[in-house]
Amino acid sequence: MVLMEANDRPVFLPVVLGTSRQGRRSEPVARFVFDQVAQRTDVTTEFIDIREIPLTNNDVGEAIKDSKFSATTIPRRRADPGRPGV
């Protein structure tokens, strides 16, 4: 199967490693997929690792938090023995 656009340019297919967690297990799989795609002549690719993108996490969304959606302010249902599954 050949993936060529109408103008006969190779299709661009980036491989994105979308987690920056320590101990991530997806990196070998992403690199394998990248290596396989890179062998094709009808596709151009790029390996994008978000761990290498300089992102700040100094407030991690704190500025947009709404206290009415906080886990500490949401009322919890008490178990009702007369209602199964509640």
Side-chain angles (χ1 to χ4, degrees), residues 24-83:
R24 62 187 178 179
R25 295 188 218 168
S26 54
E27 186 170 358
V29 175
R31 293 210 180 268
F32 172 79
V33 170
F34 172 76
D35 291 342
Q36 296 299 305
V37 172
Q39 293 176 20
R40 297 184 62 129
T41 58
D42 58 336
V43 176
T44 59
T45 188
E46 179 180 350
F47 188 82
I48 301 170
D49 184 349
I50 67 158
R51 189 183 277 175
E52 296 174 7
I53 299 172
L55 300 172
T56 61
N57 63 354
N58 54 359
D59 78 348
V60 192
E62 293 294 323
I64 62 170
K65 275 189 175 178
D66 188 335
S67 63
K68 67 182 172 190
F69 295 109
S70 170
T72 58
T73 60
I74 296 174
R76 304 261 183 214
R77 282 191 196 173
R78 287 191 272 165
D80 183 350
R83 295 177 56 196

